[in-house]
């Protein structure tokens, strides 16, 4: 579940608390090409205000129209869009896409308060809704769980599905940490240097003060964990990489120019790492974007992480390399 969908639930809670009637709309099934994945969430208020998204906009407009014209479901039920070619065109669904949506009135909110509290503790929560009755149950779940619909019950997943550990608490780490959270990552930052701990104030980020290798081991990286070394200090970065490259982490990267990355690989080869483990290192970290600023570098790093997470092959297209190019400059210590 996208972290933005938690914001939809927070908005729905506020609307309900202010006395508005609210309906939650979830994508439960898709056929063909669909603009939003299963589990995507929308909240519709009785006066037509919306939060979230289940399509490119046309479906949202129709849902608002239905509410404004008095079509206000009192029980959880299904709505389908794009069954015919004409309807798919009308609602802007690409390539004959079809959406099946669960529409449910927000009545009892105890489950909502519980879910938001659990998600605030970075727990993963499975929410199951029964059609007709609208009964909601919550249960703990594991990373990798996916939304599921069996025709009678729909289960969606809330909370951070992915973890990102950043080594170093400098300016670049701040920006990466801020950008990663809306992407669904629970972010951890490790830096044992006291001078970097004083002003760290990025909300909702776990700050770890231990040595990088100890923090990596304690985190027990799995296939839903990414680890990126950003200190430019080999004593710290390499400590983390030695453990990260042996772990099941789906992504391990390190900041540095190509020359320095080559030297790092040579250093790592002196330890108990196999060649295939060293080859897992993404360095220089990030997609080539001609990045010049810390924000642009952060985008390139997260773009590569998301591509690897989604199983997209990394194809770098860059000009002939020299240590004077902007991309090299951004990686230079």
């Amino acid at each position: 579940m996208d972290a933005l969908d938690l914001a939809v639930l927070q908005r729905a809670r506020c609307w309900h608390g202010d006395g508005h009637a609210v309906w939650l709309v979830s994508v439960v099934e898709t056929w063909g090409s669909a603009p939003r994945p299963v589990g995507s969430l929308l909240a519709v208020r009785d006066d037509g205000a919306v939060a979230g998204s289940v399509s490119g906009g046309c479906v949202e407009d129709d849902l608002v129209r239905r509410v404004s014209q008095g079509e206000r479901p009192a029980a959880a039920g299904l709505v389908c869009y794009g069954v015919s070619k004409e309807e798919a065109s009308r609602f802007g669904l690409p390539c004959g896409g079809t959406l099946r949506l669960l529409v449910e009135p927000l009545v009892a909110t105890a489950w909502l308060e519980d879910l938001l509290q659990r998600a605030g503790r970075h727990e993963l929560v499975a929410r199951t809704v029964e059609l007709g009755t609208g009964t909601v149950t919550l249960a703990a779940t594991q990373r990798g769980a996916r939304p599921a619909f069996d025709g009678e019950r729909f289960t969606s997943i809330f909370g951070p599905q992915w973890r990102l550990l950043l080594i170093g608490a400098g300016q670049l780490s701040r920006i990466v940490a801020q950008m990663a959270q809306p992407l669904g990552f629970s972010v951890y930052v490790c830096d044992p240097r006291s001078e970097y701990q004083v002003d760290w104030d990025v909300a909702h980020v776990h700050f770890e003060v231990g040595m990088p290798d100890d923090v990596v081991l304690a985190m027990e990286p799995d296939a839903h964990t990414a680890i990126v070394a950003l200190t430019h200090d080999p004593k710290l970065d390499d400590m983390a990489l030695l453990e990260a490259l042996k772990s099941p982490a789906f992504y391990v990267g390190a900041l540095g120019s190509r020359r320095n990355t080559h030297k790092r690989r040579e250093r790592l080869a002196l330890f108990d790492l196999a060649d295939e483990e060293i080859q897992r290192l993404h360095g220089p970290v990030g997609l080539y974007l001609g990045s010049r600023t810390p924000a642009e570098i952060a985008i390139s790093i997260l773009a590569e992480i998301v591509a690897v997470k989604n199983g997209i092959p990394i194809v770098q297209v860059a000009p002939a390399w020299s240590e004077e190019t902007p991309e090299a400059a951004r990686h230079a210590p």
Side-chain angles (χ1 to χ4, degrees):
M1 176 61 67
D2 195 308
L4 296 177
D5 290 325
L6 284 174
V8 173
L9 290 182
Q10 292 168 341
R11 184 68 60 84
R13 176 181 62 180
C14 291
W15 289 345
H16 185 274
D18 289 339
H20 288 281
V22 180
W23 290 264
L24 298 178
V25 184
S26 305
V27 178
V28 299
E29 285 183 317
T30 65
W31 294 270
S33 178
R36 293 283 281 142
V38 171
S40 298
L41 185 65
L42 171 76
V44 181
R45 200 167 70 179
D46 52 13
D47 60 358
V50 297
S53 174
V54 292
S55 78
C58 295
V59 169
E60 286 84 349
D61 291 344
D62 187 66
L63 290 167
V64 169
R65 179 190 61 79
R66 293 183 182 212
V67 169
S68 65
Q69 293 182 355
E71 188 176 332
R72 302 182 174 192
L78 298 176
V79 176
C80 196
Y81 286 90
V83 176
S84 66
K85 181 178 180 180
E86 292 74 16
E87 190 175 68
S89 176
R90 174 188 170 194
F91 292 114
L93 299 176
C95 303
T98 302
L99 293 177
R100 180 173 285 175
L101 306 177
L102 170 65
V103 180
E104 53 178 311
L106 180 59
V107 182
T109 59
W111 68 264
L112 180 54
E113 297 291 344
D114 189 10
L115 190 155
L116 290 173
Q117 289 179 11
R118 292 193 194 187
R121 296 193 296 266
H122 299 277
E123 297 178 15
L124 271 174
V125 183
R127 172 183 181 263
T128 299
V129 184
E130 292 188 12
L131 270 66
T133 67
T135 301
V136 175
T137 56
L138 303 180
T141 189
Q142 302 295 320
R143 280 186 298 276
R146 294 288 182 266
F149 179 57
D150 64 5
E152 297 181 357
R153 289 168 293 275
F154 175 62
T155 299
S156 51
I157 311 300
F158 291 85
Q161 288 270 29
W162 305 87
R163 296 185 297 174
L164 172 61
L165 172 61
L166 303 175
I167 308 301
Q171 181 186 39
L172 178 56
S173 292
R174 286 175 177 269
I175 301 173
V176 173
Q178 291 167 337
M179 291 182 175
Q181 293 182 68
L183 294 172
F185 286 90
S186 181
V187 183
Y188 300 73
V189 170
C190 168
D191 203 317
R193 301 170 296 184
S194 58
E195 61 271 25
Y196 284 87
Q197 302 168 21
V198 176
D199 293 327
W200 182 267
D201 57 358
V202 180
H204 310 301
V205 173
H206 306 269
F207 197 104
E208 306 288 346
V209 298
M211 297 305 292
D213 53 341
D214 293 332
V215 170
V216 172
L217 287 171
M219 192 174 188
E220 298 182 348
D222 59 15
H224 291 80
T225 305
I227 301 171
V228 184
L230 299 175
T231 71
H232 268 316
D233 184 343
K235 296 188 297 295
L236 298 177
D237 286 348
D238 289 3
M239 291 173 65
L241 296 175
L242 284 170
E243 300 300 335
L245 291 169
K246 292 185 288 187
S247 78
F250 78 89
Y251 181 96
V252 180
L255 198 66
S257 65
R258 289 191 175 186
R259 179 178 59 195
N260 289 332
T261 297
H262 178 71
K263 293 180 179 178
R264 175 179 285 116
R265 293 180 187 276
E266 290 180 335
R267 291 195 303 271
L268 293 173
L270 299 176
F271 295 88
D272 60 338
L273 287 176
D275 288 342
E276 57 269 24
E277 291 173 329
I278 297 175
Q279 292 304 313
R280 294 184 58 218
L281 177 65
H282 291 266
V285 69
L287 296 181
Y288 181 83
L289 302 178
S291 304
R292 296 175 181 271
T293 68
E296 291 176 347
I297 299 169
I299 289 172
S300 75
I301 292 171
L302 289 170
E304 185 172 57
I305 291 174
V306 170
V308 174
K309 174 179 77 72
N310 292 341
I312 304 301
I314 302 299
V315 179
Q316 293 282 22
V317 179
W321 191 267
S322 74
E323 290 298 325
E324 287 73 38
T325 61
E327 198 76 4
R330 77 170 171 86
H331 284 163

